[in-house]
Amino acid sequence: MAKARKQKGDGGGAGGGGGATVLHQKLCVSIDMENQLIYGYTEIKVLLADNDTFALHADNMTIRSILVDGETAEFDYSPYWKNEGDQPNWSSISCLKTAADAACSTYTSSLNREAVPNLIVSYERSVKSITEQQLEENSEKHEENSGRLEEHGLKPVQASDDQIVNGCNGSAMEEQKEKENGNEKGKENGIETETEKVKNIKLVHIDYILEKAETSIHFVGNVLHSSSQIRRAHCWFPCIDSTTQRCPFDLEFTVSMDLIAVSNGDLLYQVLSKEDPTKKTYVYKLNTPVSAHWISLVVGPLEVLPDGNDISVSHICLSPALSKLRNTITFFHDAYSCYEDYLSTTFPLGLYKQIFLPPEMTVLPISLGASTCIFSSDILHDEKVIDQIIGTRIKLAYALAKQWFGIYTSAEEANDEWLLDGLAGFLTEIFIKRFLGNNEARYRRFKANSTVCESDVSGATALSSPAASSDLYGTQTIGSYGKVRSLKAVAVLQMLEKQMGPDSFRKILQVIVAPNRASRTLSTKEFRHLANKVGNLERPFLKEFFPRWVESCGCPVMRLGISYSKKRNMIELAVSRGCTAKATPDSDSHTNGDTREGDAGWPGMMSVRVHETDGAYDHPVLPMAGEALQVIEIQCHSKVAAKRVWKSKKSTKFDGSDDNIDVSTQENRTSIESPLQWIRVDPEMEYLAEIHFHQPVQMWINQLEKDKDVISQSQAISVLEKLPQLSSAVINALNNFLNDTKAFWRVRVEAAYALAVTASEATDFAGLLHLVKFYKSHRFDADIGMPRPNDFHDIPEYFVLEAIPHAVALVRSSDKNSPKGAIEFILQLLKYNDNNGNIYSDVYWLSAMVQAIGELELGQQGMGFLSSLLKRIDRLLQFDNFMPGYNGVLTVSCIRTLARIARKVSSSICLDRISELIAPFRNMDKPWKVRIEASKVLIDLELHHKGLDAALLLFLKYVDEEKSLRGWLAGVLFSFFACFDFF
């Protein structure tokens, strides 16, 4: 082995392999679980440039030897962790700002260093040129490693030894000779170019050892698994760790007889080891070219559950989770078949394997690999759990969609990754629409678009931005930025689908994944070409569309108001145009200069749907581009209703009771004197835009009561709850919608929260009364006035009722405290909850009630209830301790609520006492999620009680005590930092 030394600057381009192109890679390793050891070799077939060196990535391992075409090659190996020259001068740190700068500098320099290949191979140099010192170090290291392997009962790997993994198909050298023979034949036929190319193809054989790795590959007990973190494949096998380098893989893993190895592609066979009868080898073949970071591995005492619906899928987990696995995956063939049907082709990567491991073992909630996906098993659920169903199905469906768009078809360049991410999300929404309902799909897309418009304010959210990619080092694809970018990518693709039609867009996706397609990569430029050729979109439109939506940041902001001219029977629509991204001289450097406030550069024409007395009419009259201020006229079709004189009549109070008062309000007169019922802007969500529309209150009420579209209903509720003055008509409209069982349950939940917001002394707490009345009408026994035993058969109604306690807890009186009636109501629900005879679990039901307690503001008047509330929480904690519920959900809610109460009444109680109550939940015998939540809460209390320094010290203490907390608590710590102005 060559001496490890500081990295050279000319080792090759970042991620480029120093001019080498990988054609094929074979990985053969043996795994020693007891000693956390991986040893073996990899064979990489590379096409080299004219120079005599090439570069690979490798870290955290011992390189024992390298052969090029069977001959020993010289190499320089510089492990990244040994480069200490770029460490900052920590002694110069004097404040939090300089600490942040130093940490950022260290992080970016580390990323830059790791981007450069660090295993430099010189394949034409003579072995005799190696110095005597290097030879001695090589010999000593070889003897040391061999002795260590023999102590473990393992046989060291020789460069020409094929017996480390039994059952390898043929010799690599024979394969190379066949290629050379083929080249000679080609030369005879005059194919000189191919001959020269073959001369530059080399077979690189690398023997290596990996001991107790902590990055990319993880040993936890008798389970090993990899994680698909960016540019971390080189931490468990030598490779060119770049998304632009893709090749087929042959994979062989030797493990103990009692373990199963799951990896990429198809399992060709498993064979017993001749050298060690206690071991066997799993042989996989992946023919589809993929980059190295999509190679994954799971080894453990796994249970394999083949899918029973005639699809090539296997579901895998550890024994304790098997029953939950059976229940969870019953739907999966729907998603699998949906994608194959929509794309008109079979799954392209052979047998798909989804593996579920305990959350304390996994580094990421979802870790993708080619034809594999590793999930945290906390998304599994049994038939008794209701709340987990929708979320779990969407997560599994999205991971499957990423196999098509992201792995099988990959991005040509880093700036094209948004496209594959968006296509995977688009395909997932096809599944949601088909199997979870059109209302669910439209509602989720509406909320996603709202999130994008709210967050798309800087260049970090530009989908294809070279500046952001280089300056942010790929971090724009993770965390909150990553979420916004993914949602925006789907929205942009849906806009294109609306322009070209669903059939044309579907044809484009079918072309992309067609088996006979020459390339398995996709670029934004190629997709744009397909949009023109297959989708029949005009070049001028695309020329505007892609630069504005893909290469820039910001979303259009449309502010609109109406005025009706009775004389002309005409609507005057006033429009103000703006942009969510506001560029200033001191703005973020990542923000594109062309995204400025008031920018009117978006292509397209919005539609305005006018609901009149005799029908609805669409008017495509609102251009996305234009002046900042504009007035547009829209002709009405219906005639003006005859004017009538309104007499005083019986009206309804806020609480629904009757009283004789005159309610000939301006709102009613406005609606009678015009044919307008209500108006909607962009009703089909053809554009990603932030729309603020103003129309009379009665028209919003009409929209809520008469429009059956979930987006229209949600928009109406959002406006009505924010009105400065609330009429009885508004309160009653919200209440009627809450009670409408035909309405979509998610929007009914919004109506419940709107009633809570509108409840105040000014409205005689009508919203609170309606909420309590609604709940009691469904869940209370009218004869005794007490809650009935739980019955969750009506799933939509379950979700609506589950939200009521939380909504009640949000009601505030004029002193900003919770009304006494709200506190008593929630306490009563907790006290008399009875789940006997109910086939479904009430763990989320109880959890929602406990979290509602955390939302209460007790004040001086409510402090008398504190003892009773804490007593209820204590009983639930004891109950969940003796009879643990699903995933520790109830205990987590109790811990979280205790912490919230403690912070609110910190002046009355000692926070140290609360910390003592929560600390035992960090014990190793508690469920992992409970330990995580207890750690979060204790750090949070330490922050509020003793300050940031104390919280940081406690955080470091917890990380040192339990490694499985590291990734999760780091996110917690960052959320704390976000609360301070210096970030």
Side-chain angles (χ1 to χ4, degrees):
M1 183 187 72
K3 181 180 180 180
R5 60 192 187 191
K6 289 190 177 181
Q7 189 171 308
K8 295 181 179 180
D10 58 352
T21 301
V22 181
L23 303 179
H24 181 274
Q25 184 160 0
K26 180 178 182 179
L27 179 62
C28 300
V29 296
S30 185
I31 298 160
D32 178 4
M33 287 294 211
E34 182 178 355
N35 298 291
Q36 297 188 5
L37 173 68
I38 295 176
Y39 73 104
Y41 67 89
T42 184
E43 289 182 344
I44 310 175
K45 188 180 296 183
V46 293
L47 175 63
L48 301 177
D50 293 334
N51 58 343
D52 62 350
T53 63
F54 60 92
L56 304 171
H57 296 89
D59 204 20
N60 296 332
M61 62 187 69
T62 300
I63 304 296
R64 300 180 56 217
S65 65
I66 297 181
L67 305 180
V68 176
D69 285 348
E71 295 186 3
T72 304
E74 181 184 353
F75 62 94
D76 291 335
Y77 177 43
S78 308
Y80 298 120
W81 60 271
K82 287 192 176 183
N83 291 282
E84 301 176 354
D86 297 328
Q87 294 297 318
N89 183 11
W90 296 103
S91 61
S92 64
I93 295 174
S94 58
C95 64
L96 293 168
K97 180 65 170 63
T98 56
D101 291 341
C104 182
S105 174
T106 302
Y107 179 59
T108 55
S109 63
S110 175
L111 290 176
N112 286 327
R113 187 166 57 247
E114 291 187 20
V116 180
N118 63 324
L119 177 57
I120 314 300
V121 181
S122 302
Y123 66 93
E124 287 187 351
R125 295 182 187 177
S126 172
V127 179
K128 294 180 181 180
S129 65
I130 303 177
T131 65
E132 293 297 328
Q133 180 183 359
Q134 289 175 321
L135 283 172
E136 291 175 4
E137 291 176 355
N138 227 5
S139 178
E140 291 173 2
K141 192 66 177 178
H142 179 78
E143 292 176 3
E144 178 185 344
N145 290 332
S146 298
R148 187 185 298 113
L149 290 175
E150 290 171 357
E151 289 176 5
H152 296 157
L154 303 175
K155 180 183 177 182
V157 181
Q158 302 299 327
S160 60
D161 189 355
D162 289 334
Q163 294 183 355
I164 179 172
V165 180
N166 209 16
C168 297
N169 288 328
S171 167
M173 294 301 298
E174 291 177 359
E175 184 178 352
Q176 180 67 14
K177 288 179 180 178
E178 290 177 4
K179 286 289 185 181
E180 292 174 355
N181 292 335
N183 293 337
E184 291 299 325
K185 186 176 180 180
K187 186 175 181 179
E188 293 174 0
N189 295 330
I191 311 177
E192 296 293 341
T193 304
E194 287 298 320
T195 302
E196 291 299 321
K197 182 178 179 181
V198 171
K199 285 183 179 179
N200 289 331
I201 294 178
K202 304 295 180 181
L203 186 66
V204 184
H205 181 112
I206 305 174
D207 283 347
Y208 74 99
I209 299 174
L210 181 65
E211 296 182 87
K212 297 183 178 180
E214 293 186 359
T215 303
S216 187
I217 201 82
H218 309 274
F219 290 89
V220 186
N222 60 349
V223 174
L224 172 146
H225 71 90
S226 62
S227 60
S228 58
Q229 293 169 297
I230 299 175
R231 289 218 315 261
R232 285 296 178 270
H234 67 270
C235 293
W236 71 285
F237 66 94
C239 59
I240 298 183
D241 202 354
S242 168
T243 56
T244 60
Q245 290 276 3
R246 309 170 189 90
C247 70
F249 280 82
D250 286 336
L251 306 164
E252 302 182 7
F253 304 102
T254 301
V255 299
S256 298
M257 285 289 295
D258 58 338
L259 303 178
I260 294 176
V262 181
S263 191
N264 315 95
D266 287 321
L267 176 63
L268 300 182
Y269 53 86
Q270 48 184 300
V271 61
L272 298 179
S273 173
K274 294 180 180 178
E275 296 296 321
D276 188 350
T278 64
K279 294 192 173 186
K280 60 182 174 181
T281 299
Y282 290 81
V283 181
Y284 289 88
K285 190 174 186 63
L286 179 64
N287 290 319
T288 303
V290 298
S291 54
H293 81 275
W294 294 128
I295 298 302
S296 58
L297 174 64
V298 178
V299 177
L302 304 171
E303 297 284 349
V304 180
L305 184 64
D307 197 282
N309 294 280
D310 195 30
I311 57 177
S312 298
V313 178
S314 288
H315 315 280
I316 303 166
C317 67
L318 298 179
S319 298
L322 188 58
S323 61
K324 290 182 182 179
L325 177 65
R326 292 182 186 276
N327 176 74
T328 303
I329 51 88
T330 52
F331 85 98
F332 193 75
H333 70 283
D334 291 335
Y336 191 90
S337 303
C338 172
Y339 295 164
E340 288 192 332
D341 174 64
Y342 184 83
L343 299 172
S344 296
T345 184
T346 58
F347 183 73
L349 295 169
L351 179 67
Y352 180 59
K353 302 162 284 290
Q354 46 187 12
I355 308 103
F356 301 86
L357 298 177
E360 59 267 30
M361 292 185 180
T362 58
V363 177
L364 305 170
I366 299 177
S367 183
L368 289 165
S371 77
T372 66
C373 190
I374 304 170
F375 298 90
S376 170
S377 62
D378 61 2
I379 68 172
L380 300 177
H381 58 86
D382 57 33
E383 67 280 0
K384 296 181 179 180
V385 177
I386 298 174
D387 295 66
Q388 193 78 7
I389 296 173
I390 295 176
T392 293
R393 293 188 175 186
I394 292 174
K395 288 175 183 176
L396 297 185
Y398 177 73
L400 178 62
K402 287 291 289 184
Q403 297 290 322
W404 296 90
F405 299 106
I407 299 179
Y408 177 64
T409 305
S410 57
E412 186 170 297
E413 301 290 344
N415 287 336
D416 303 318
E417 291 178 0
W418 74 270
L419 179 55
L420 279 302
D421 198 21
L423 289 173
F426 181 89
L427 194 60
T428 305
E429 294 201 2
I430 296 295
F431 161 77
I432 294 173
K433 184 176 181 179
R434 285 193 186 182
F435 294 100
L436 297 180
N438 188 56
N439 283 342
E440 180 74 18
R442 282 182 60 80
Y443 184 87
R444 294 177 72 90
R445 176 44 41 194
F446 171 63
K447 292 301 179 182
N449 286 2
S450 300
T451 300
V452 173
C453 291
E454 181 181 343
S455 306
D456 190 11
V457 296
S458 71
T461 49
L463 297 178
S464 182
S465 168
S469 297
S470 59
D471 295 347
L472 299 177
Y473 294 91
T475 57
Q476 75 277 7
T477 63
I478 61 178
S480 58
Y481 276 140
K483 179 181 179 181
V484 171
R485 287 168 57 88
S486 294
L487 296 176
K488 182 179 179 180
V490 179
V492 169
L493 293 176
Q494 287 191 336
M495 283 193 287
L496 285 173
E497 186 205 29
K498 296 286 186 182
Q499 292 294 324
M500 69 180 68
D503 292 337
S504 295
F505 194 83
R506 181 180 180 180
K507 288 179 181 178
I508 291 177
L509 269 62
Q510 290 173 350
V511 169
I512 293 171
V513 300
N516 58 355
R517 184 165 172 261
S519 174
R520 290 269 59 89
T521 63
L522 180 65
S523 67
T524 304
K525 181 178 180 181
E526 182 182 1
F527 186 80
R528 181 173 168 175
H529 173 72
L530 290 172
N532 171 244
K533 183 179 179 181
V534 181
N536 296 316
L537 293 182
E538 297 179 356
R539 290 184 184 275
F541 172 82
L542 295 173
K543 188 176 181 180
E544 292 183 79
F545 184 91
F546 276 85
R548 199 62 191 86
W549 285 109
V550 177
E551 299 169 16
S552 303
C553 67
C555 298
V557 179
M558 310 287 284
R559 302 181 185 276
L560 309 103
I562 63 165
S563 175
Y564 174 69
S565 172
K566 180 180 177 182
K567 183 177 181 180
R568 298 188 299 156
N569 197 24
M570 187 84 71
I571 301 170
E572 292 182 343
L573 184 67
V575 184
S576 171
R577 297 183 177 87
C579 177
T580 59
K582 300 173 176 61
T584 63
D586 299 324
S587 64
D588 191 305
S589 60
H590 301 142
T591 305
N592 286 359
D594 60 347
T595 54
R596 56 190 180 275
E597 187 174 9
D599 194 338
W602 286 276
M605 184 77 71
M606 267 189 183
S607 177
V608 178
R609 181 172 296 170
V610 181
H611 291 263
E612 303 180 24
T613 53
D614 64 351
Y617 301 91
D618 284 341
H619 303 271
V621 296
L622 182 56
M624 297 284 288
E627 299 177 357
L629 299 175
Q630 185 180 9
V631 176
I632 299 172
E633 293 185 339
I634 301 175
Q635 182 67 53
C636 290
H637 294 76
S638 305
K639 294 182 179 180
V640 181
K643 187 174 182 179
R644 300 186 291 179
V645 177
W646 280 80
K647 299 180 180 179
S648 63
K649 67 174 185 176
K650 221 175 195 182
S651 179
T652 307
K653 284 187 176 182
F654 290 112
D655 60 0
S657 62
D658 295 332
D659 194 8
N660 290 318
I661 60 173
D662 188 356
V663 291
S664 55
T665 63
Q666 181 65 35
E667 294 172 10
N668 287 329
R669 287 201 303 270
T670 300
S671 63
I672 291 298
E673 293 174 1
S674 78
L676 303 178
Q677 296 294 304
W678 70 95
I679 297 175
R680 294 188 61 196
V681 178
D682 192 24
E684 299 302 325
M685 283 193 302
E686 293 182 280
Y687 296 96
L688 176 61
E690 183 178 312
I691 299 174
H692 302 273
F693 183 59
H694 300 273
Q695 62 183 353
V697 174
Q698 185 57 45
M699 293 176 69
W700 285 115
I701 294 175
N702 293 342
Q703 181 170 323
L704 177 62
E705 294 178 338
K706 299 178 182 180
D707 202 322
K708 302 306 179 184
D709 180 29
V710 295
I711 298 175
S712 179
Q713 295 163 351
S714 180
Q715 289 172 332
I717 291 172
S718 178
V719 172
L720 292 175
E721 72 176 2
K722 296 175 183 176
L723 293 175
Q725 294 182 341
L726 296 164
S727 66
S728 60
V730 172
I731 303 295
N732 291 330
L734 293 172
N735 181 52
N736 291 337
F737 190 85
L738 172 64
N739 284 272
D740 185 2
T741 57
K742 294 182 180 179
F744 184 47
W745 67 268
R746 290 193 186 274
V747 191
R748 292 176 65 195
V749 169
E750 286 191 3
Y753 286 118
L755 283 171
V757 171
T758 61
S760 64
E761 280 94 341
T763 61
D764 297 326
F765 288 105
L768 174 60
L769 297 177
H770 283 312
L771 289 170
V772 173
K773 182 179 179 180
F774 171 79
Y775 191 94
K776 288 185 174 181
S777 67
H778 287 77
R779 300 291 305 119
F780 274 51
D781 189 317
D783 295 331
I784 62 175
M786 302 293 287
R788 296 193 302 267
N790 295 335
D791 183 359
F792 300 155
H793 281 91
D794 190 338
I795 304 298
E797 205 68 21
Y798 162 84
F799 285 119
V800 176
L801 289 167
E802 185 185 55
I804 298 301
H806 191 195
V808 168
L810 296 176
V811 176
R812 297 290 183 266
S813 56
S814 57
D815 60 359
K816 306 301 180 183
N817 292 321
S818 301
K820 180 180 178 182
I823 303 173
E824 290 177 332
F825 175 71
I826 295 173
L827 185 58
Q828 184 182 29
L829 297 186
L830 269 176
K831 184 176 181 180
Y832 295 104
N833 179 74
D834 181 5
N835 206 52
N836 290 325
N838 186 23
I839 64 172
Y840 296 104
S841 168
D842 67 343
V843 61
Y844 279 100
W845 181 265
L846 283 170
S847 177
M849 294 183 190
V850 171
Q851 291 183 47
I853 294 176
E855 295 289 349
L856 293 171
E857 291 291 344
L858 299 178
Q860 193 65 35
Q861 183 181 10
M863 286 300 290
F865 294 99
L866 180 59
S867 177
S868 297
L869 292 171
L870 293 177
K871 184 178 180 180
R872 288 292 135 197
I873 294 176
D874 181 59
R875 287 190 176 183
L876 291 174
L877 280 171
Q878 294 182 38
F879 177 79
D880 206 42
N881 183 46
F882 290 120
M883 298 182 64
Y886 174 75
N887 279 355
V889 168
L890 182 55
T891 296
V892 166
S893 294
C894 290
I895 293 173
R896 190 174 297 162
T897 299
L898 281 174
R900 296 196 67 176
I901 293 175
R903 290 196 298 271
K904 291 178 181 179
V905 298
S906 58
S907 59
S908 304
I909 64 173
C910 179
L911 290 181
D912 287 338
R913 176 57 182 156
I914 299 296
S915 297
E916 291 175 6
L917 292 174
I918 296 175
F921 291 98
R922 291 196 65 252
N923 295 340
M924 294 300 295
D925 62 331
K926 302 298 181 183
W928 185 76
K929 277 199 167 183
V930 172
R931 303 203 308 272
I932 287 289
E933 188 62 33
S935 300
K936 289 180 181 179
V937 165
L938 290 171
I939 295 174
D940 191 19
L941 292 175
E942 193 81 357
L943 177 69
H944 285 82
H945 185 44
K946 299 180 181 178
L948 180 61
D949 290 344
L952 283 170
L953 291 174
L954 187 61
F955 167 78
L956 295 173
K957 177 176 178 289
Y958 288 167
V959 169
D960 186 60
E961 290 175 353
E962 186 174 353
K963 293 181 180 180
S964 65
L965 301 177
R966 290 183 178 180
W968 297 83
L969 286 181
V972 178
L973 193 65
F974 180 80
S975 66
F976 290 155
F977 290 160
C979 300
F980 293 87
D981 295 336
F982 52 81
F983 280 91

